[in-house]
CSV table of all heavy atoms in Angstrom, one decimal:
chain,number,residue,atom,x,y,z
A,1,GLY,N,1.0,-8.7,2.7
A,1,GLY,CA,2.4,-8.4,2.7
A,1,GLY,C,2.8,-7.3,1.7
A,1,GLY,O,3.7,-6.5,2.0
A,2,ALA,N,2.2,-7.4,0.5
A,2,ALA,CA,2.5,-6.3,-0.5
A,2,ALA,C,2.0,-5.0,0.0
A,2,ALA,O,2.7,-4.0,-0.2
A,2,ALA,CB,1.7,-6.7,-1.8
A,3,TYR,N,0.8,-4.9,0.7
A,3,TYR,CA,0.3,-3.6,1.2
A,3,TYR,C,1.3,-3.1,2.2
A,3,TYR,O,1.6,-1.9,2.2
A,3,TYR,CB,-1.0,-3.8,1.8
A,3,TYR,CG,-1.6,-2.5,2.5
A,3,TYR,CD1,-2.2,-1.6,1.7
A,3,TYR,CD2,-1.4,-2.3,3.8
A,3,TYR,CE1,-2.7,-0.4,2.3
A,3,TYR,CE2,-1.8,-1.1,4.4
A,3,TYR,CZ,-2.5,-0.2,3.6
A,3,TYR,OH,-2.9,1.0,4.2
A,4,ASP,N,1.8,-3.9,3.1
A,4,ASP,CA,2.7,-3.5,4.2
A,4,ASP,C,4.0,-2.9,3.6
A,4,ASP,O,4.5,-1.9,4.0
A,4,ASP,CB,3.1,-4.7,5.1
A,4,ASP,CG,1.9,-5.1,6.0
A,4,ASP,OD1,1.0,-4.3,6.1
A,4,ASP,OD2,2.0,-6.2,6.5
A,5,ILE,N,4.6,-3.6,2.6
A,5,ILE,CA,5.8,-3.1,1.9
A,5,ILE,C,5.5,-1.7,1.3
A,5,ILE,O,6.3,-0.8,1.4
A,5,ILE,CB,6.3,-4.1,0.9
A,5,ILE,CG1,6.8,-5.4,1.7
A,5,ILE,CG2,7.5,-3.5,0.2
A,5,ILE,CD1,7.1,-6.5,0.8
A,6,LEU,N,4.4,-1.6,0.5
A,6,LEU,CA,4.1,-0.4,-0.2
A,6,LEU,C,3.9,0.8,0.8
A,6,LEU,O,4.2,1.9,0.4
A,6,LEU,CB,2.8,-0.6,-1.0
A,6,LEU,CG,3.0,-1.4,-2.3
A,6,LEU,CD1,1.6,-1.9,-2.8
A,6,LEU,CD2,3.8,-0.7,-3.3
A,7,THR,N,3.4,0.5,1.9
A,7,THR,CA,3.1,1.6,2.9
A,7,THR,C,4.4,1.9,3.7
A,7,THR,O,4.7,3.1,3.9
A,7,THR,CB,1.9,1.3,3.8
A,7,THR,OG1,2.1,0.0,4.4
A,7,THR,CG2,0.6,1.3,3.0
A,8,ARG,N,5.0,0.9,4.2
A,8,ARG,CA,6.2,1.1,5.1
A,8,ARG,C,7.4,1.7,4.3
A,8,ARG,O,8.1,2.5,4.8
A,8,ARG,CB,6.6,-0.2,5.8
A,8,ARG,CG,5.6,-0.7,6.8
A,8,ARG,CD,6.0,-2.1,7.2
A,8,ARG,NE,5.0,-2.7,8.1
A,8,ARG,CZ,4.9,-4.0,8.5
A,8,ARG,NH1,5.9,-4.8,8.0
A,8,ARG,NH2,4.0,-4.4,9.3
A,9,ASN,N,7.5,1.3,3.1
A,9,ASN,CA,8.7,1.7,2.3
A,9,ASN,C,8.3,2.7,1.2
A,9,ASN,O,9.0,2.9,0.3
A,9,ASN,CB,9.3,0.5,1.5
A,9,ASN,CG,10.1,-0.4,2.5
A,9,ASN,OD1,10.1,-0.2,3.7
A,9,ASN,ND2,10.8,-1.4,1.9
A,10,ARG,N,7.2,3.4,1.4
A,10,ARG,CA,6.7,4.4,0.4
A,10,ARG,C,7.8,5.5,0.2
A,10,ARG,O,8.1,5.8,-1.0
A,10,ARG,CB,5.4,5.0,0.9
A,10,ARG,CG,4.8,5.9,-0.1
A,10,ARG,CD,3.4,6.4,0.3
A,10,ARG,NE,2.8,7.3,-0.7
A,10,ARG,CZ,1.6,7.8,-0.6
A,10,ARG,NH1,0.8,7.4,0.4
A,10,ARG,NH2,1.1,8.6,-1.5
A,11,GLU,N,8.3,6.1,1.2
A,11,GLU,CA,9.3,7.1,1.1
A,11,GLU,C,10.6,6.6,0.4
A,11,GLU,O,11.1,7.3,-0.4
A,11,GLU,CB,9.6,7.7,2.4
A,11,GLU,CG,8.5,8.5,3.1
A,11,GLU,CD,8.0,9.7,2.3
A,11,GLU,OE1,8.9,10.3,1.7
A,11,GLU,OE2,6.8,10.0,2.4
A,12,TYR,N,11.0,5.4,0.8
A,12,TYR,CA,12.2,4.8,0.2
A,12,TYR,C,12.0,4.5,-1.3
A,12,TYR,O,12.9,4.8,-2.1
A,12,TYR,CB,12.5,3.5,0.9
A,12,TYR,CG,13.6,2.7,0.4
A,12,TYR,CD1,14.9,3.1,0.6
A,12,TYR,CD2,13.4,1.6,-0.4
A,12,TYR,CE1,16.0,2.4,0.1
A,12,TYR,CE2,14.5,0.9,-1.0
A,12,TYR,CZ,15.8,1.3,-0.7
A,12,TYR,OH,16.9,0.6,-1.2
A,13,ILE,N,10.8,4.0,-1.7
A,13,ILE,CA,10.5,3.8,-3.1
A,13,ILE,C,10.5,5.1,-3.9
A,13,ILE,O,11.0,5.2,-5.0
A,13,ILE,CB,9.2,3.0,-3.2
A,13,ILE,CG1,9.3,1.6,-2.6
A,13,ILE,CG2,8.8,2.9,-4.7
A,13,ILE,CD1,8.0,0.8,-2.5
A,14,MET,N,9.9,6.1,-3.3
A,14,MET,CA,9.9,7.4,-3.9
A,14,MET,C,11.4,7.9,-4.2
A,14,MET,O,11.7,8.4,-5.3
A,14,MET,CB,9.2,8.5,-3.0
A,14,MET,CG,7.7,8.3,-3.0
A,14,MET,SD,6.9,9.4,-1.8
A,14,MET,CE,7.4,11.0,-2.4
A,15,LYS,N,12.2,7.8,-3.2
A,15,LYS,CA,13.6,8.3,-3.2
A,15,LYS,C,14.4,7.5,-4.2
A,15,LYS,O,15.2,8.0,-5.0
A,15,LYS,CB,14.2,8.2,-1.9
A,15,LYS,CG,15.7,8.7,-1.8
A,15,LYS,CD,16.2,8.6,-0.4
A,15,LYS,CE,17.7,9.1,-0.4
A,15,LYS,NZ,18.2,9.0,1.0
A,16,THR,N,14.3,6.1,-4.2
A,16,THR,CA,15.1,5.3,-5.1
A,16,THR,C,14.6,5.0,-6.5
A,16,THR,O,15.3,4.8,-7.4
A,16,THR,CB,15.4,4.0,-4.4
A,16,THR,OG1,14.2,3.3,-4.2
A,16,THR,CG2,16.1,4.2,-3.0
A,17,GLN,N,13.2,5.0,-6.6
A,17,GLN,CA,12.6,4.6,-7.8
A,17,GLN,C,11.9,5.8,-8.5
A,17,GLN,O,11.5,5.7,-9.7
A,17,GLN,CB,11.6,3.5,-7.6
A,17,GLN,CG,12.3,2.2,-7.0
A,17,GLN,CD,13.4,1.7,-7.9
A,17,GLN,OE1,13.3,1.6,-9.1
A,17,GLN,NE2,14.5,1.3,-7.2
A,18,GLY,N,11.7,6.9,-7.8
A,18,GLY,CA,11.0,8.0,-8.4
A,18,GLY,C,9.6,7.8,-8.7
A,18,GLY,O,9.0,8.4,-9.6
A,19,VAL,N,9.0,7.0,-7.9
A,19,VAL,CA,7.5,6.6,-8.0
A,19,VAL,C,6.8,6.7,-6.7
A,19,VAL,O,7.3,6.1,-5.7
A,19,VAL,CB,7.3,5.2,-8.6
A,19,VAL,CG1,5.9,4.9,-8.8
A,19,VAL,CG2,8.1,5.0,-9.9
A,20,ASP,N,5.8,7.5,-6.6
A,20,ASP,CA,5.0,7.6,-5.4
A,20,ASP,C,3.7,6.8,-5.6
A,20,ASP,O,2.8,7.2,-6.3
A,20,ASP,CB,4.6,9.1,-5.1
A,20,ASP,CG,3.8,9.3,-3.8
A,20,ASP,OD1,3.8,8.3,-3.0
A,20,ASP,OD2,3.3,10.4,-3.6
A,21,ILE,N,3.7,5.7,-4.8
A,21,ILE,CA,2.6,4.7,-5.0
A,21,ILE,C,1.6,4.8,-3.9
A,21,ILE,O,1.9,4.7,-2.7
A,21,ILE,CB,3.2,3.3,-5.1
A,21,ILE,CG1,4.2,3.2,-6.2
A,21,ILE,CG2,2.0,2.3,-5.4
A,21,ILE,CD1,5.0,1.8,-6.2
A,22,GLU,N,0.3,4.9,-4.3
A,22,GLU,CA,-0.8,5.0,-3.3
A,22,GLU,C,-1.8,3.9,-3.6
A,22,GLU,O,-2.2,3.8,-4.7
A,22,GLU,CB,-1.5,6.4,-3.4
A,22,GLU,CG,-2.7,6.5,-2.4
A,22,GLU,CD,-3.4,7.8,-2.6
A,22,GLU,OE1,-2.8,8.8,-2.9
A,22,GLU,OE2,-4.6,7.8,-2.3
A,23,VAL,N,-2.1,3.1,-2.5
A,23,VAL,CA,-3.2,2.1,-2.7
A,23,VAL,C,-4.5,2.8,-2.5
A,23,VAL,O,-4.8,3.3,-1.4
A,23,VAL,CB,-3.0,1.0,-1.6
A,23,VAL,CG1,-4.2,0.0,-1.8
A,23,VAL,CG2,-1.7,0.3,-1.8
A,24,LYS,N,-5.3,2.9,-3.6
A,24,LYS,CA,-6.6,3.6,-3.5
A,24,LYS,C,-7.7,2.7,-3.1
A,24,LYS,O,-8.6,3.1,-2.3
A,24,LYS,CB,-6.9,4.1,-4.9
A,24,LYS,CG,-8.2,5.0,-4.9
A,24,LYS,CD,-8.5,5.6,-6.3
A,24,LYS,CE,-9.7,6.5,-6.2
A,24,LYS,NZ,-10.0,7.2,-7.5
A,25,TYR,N,-7.7,1.4,-3.5
A,25,TYR,CA,-8.8,0.5,-3.1
A,25,TYR,C,-8.2,-0.9,-2.8
A,25,TYR,O,-7.2,-1.3,-3.4
A,25,TYR,CB,-9.8,0.3,-4.3
A,25,TYR,CG,-10.7,1.5,-4.5
A,25,TYR,CD1,-10.6,2.1,-5.8
A,25,TYR,CD2,-11.5,2.0,-3.5
A,25,TYR,CE1,-11.4,3.2,-6.0
A,25,TYR,CE2,-12.3,3.1,-3.8
A,25,TYR,CZ,-12.2,3.7,-5.1
A,25,TYR,OH,-13.0,4.8,-5.3
A,26,ILE,N,-8.9,-1.6,-1.9
A,26,ILE,CA,-8.6,-3.0,-1.6
A,26,ILE,C,-9.9,-3.8,-1.8
A,26,ILE,O,-10.9,-3.5,-1.1
A,26,ILE,CB,-8.1,-3.2,-0.2
A,26,ILE,CG1,-6.7,-2.5,-0.1
A,26,ILE,CG2,-7.9,-4.7,0.1
A,26,ILE,CD1,-6.1,-2.6,1.3
A,27,LEU,N,-10.0,-4.7,-2.8
A,27,LEU,CA,-11.2,-5.4,-3.1
A,27,LEU,C,-11.2,-6.7,-2.2
A,27,LEU,O,-10.2,-7.5,-2.2
A,27,LEU,CB,-11.2,-5.8,-4.5
A,27,LEU,CG,-12.4,-6.6,-5.0
A,27,LEU,CD1,-13.6,-5.7,-5.2
A,27,LEU,CD2,-12.1,-7.4,-6.3
A,28,ASP,N,-12.3,-6.9,-1.5
A,28,ASP,CA,-12.4,-8.2,-0.7
A,28,ASP,C,-13.9,-8.4,-0.5
A,28,ASP,O,-14.7,-7.6,-0.9
A,28,ASP,CB,-11.7,-8.1,0.6
A,28,ASP,CG,-11.0,-9.4,1.0
A,28,ASP,OD1,-11.7,-10.4,1.0
A,28,ASP,OD2,-9.8,-9.4,1.2
A,29,ARG,N,-14.2,-9.6,0.1
A,29,ARG,CA,-15.6,-9.9,0.3
A,29,ARG,C,-16.3,-9.0,1.3
A,29,ARG,O,-17.4,-8.6,1.2
A,29,ARG,CB,-15.7,-11.4,0.8
A,29,ARG,CG,-15.4,-12.4,-0.2
A,29,ARG,CD,-15.7,-13.8,0.3
A,29,ARG,NE,-15.3,-14.9,-0.7
A,29,ARG,CZ,-14.1,-15.5,-0.7
A,29,ARG,NH1,-13.2,-15.1,0.1
A,29,ARG,NH2,-13.9,-16.4,-1.7
A,30,ASP,N,-15.5,-8.7,2.4
A,30,ASP,CA,-16.1,-7.7,3.4
A,30,ASP,C,-14.9,-7.0,4.0
A,30,ASP,O,-13.7,-7.2,3.6
A,30,ASP,CB,-16.9,-8.5,4.5
A,30,ASP,CG,-16.0,-9.5,5.2
A,30,ASP,OD1,-15.0,-9.1,5.8
A,30,ASP,OD2,-16.4,-10.7,5.2
A,31,VAL,N,-15.2,-6.1,4.8
A,31,VAL,CA,-14.2,-5.1,5.4
A,31,VAL,C,-13.3,-5.7,6.5
A,31,VAL,O,-12.3,-5.2,6.9
A,31,VAL,CB,-14.9,-3.8,5.9
A,31,VAL,CG1,-15.6,-4.1,7.2
A,31,VAL,CG2,-13.9,-2.7,6.0
A,32,THR,N,-13.7,-6.9,7.0
A,32,THR,CA,-13.0,-7.5,8.1
A,32,THR,C,-11.5,-7.6,7.9
A,32,THR,O,-10.7,-7.3,8.9
A,32,THR,CB,-13.6,-8.9,8.4
A,32,THR,OG1,-15.0,-8.8,8.6
A,32,THR,CG2,-13.0,-9.5,9.7
A,33,PRO,N,-11.0,-8.1,6.8
A,33,PRO,CA,-9.5,-8.2,6.7
A,33,PRO,C,-8.8,-6.9,6.8
A,33,PRO,O,-7.7,-6.8,7.4
A,33,PRO,CB,-9.3,-8.8,5.2
A,33,PRO,CG,-10.6,-9.5,5.0
A,33,PRO,CD,-11.7,-8.7,5.6
A,34,LEU,N,-9.4,-5.8,6.4
A,34,LEU,CA,-8.8,-4.5,6.5
A,34,LEU,C,-8.8,-4.1,8.0
A,34,LEU,O,-7.8,-3.6,8.5
A,34,LEU,CB,-9.6,-3.4,5.7
A,34,LEU,CG,-9.3,-3.4,4.2
A,34,LEU,CD1,-10.0,-4.5,3.5
A,34,LEU,CD2,-9.8,-2.1,3.6
A,35,GLU,N,-9.9,-4.3,8.7
A,35,GLU,CA,-10.0,-4.0,10.1
A,35,GLU,C,-9.0,-4.7,10.9
A,35,GLU,O,-8.4,-4.2,11.9
A,35,GLU,CB,-11.5,-4.3,10.6
A,35,GLU,CG,-12.5,-3.4,10.0
A,35,GLU,CD,-13.9,-3.7,10.4
A,35,GLU,OE1,-14.1,-4.9,10.8
A,35,GLU,OE2,-14.8,-2.9,10.3
């Protein structure tokens, strides 16, 4: 849920908060959740 908000609202957060946030890594046991 946090990832979805950060990606979908990225432009909005940049405009209103002046911060451009990029998720660089996602730590998990395996890649399946990302896929």
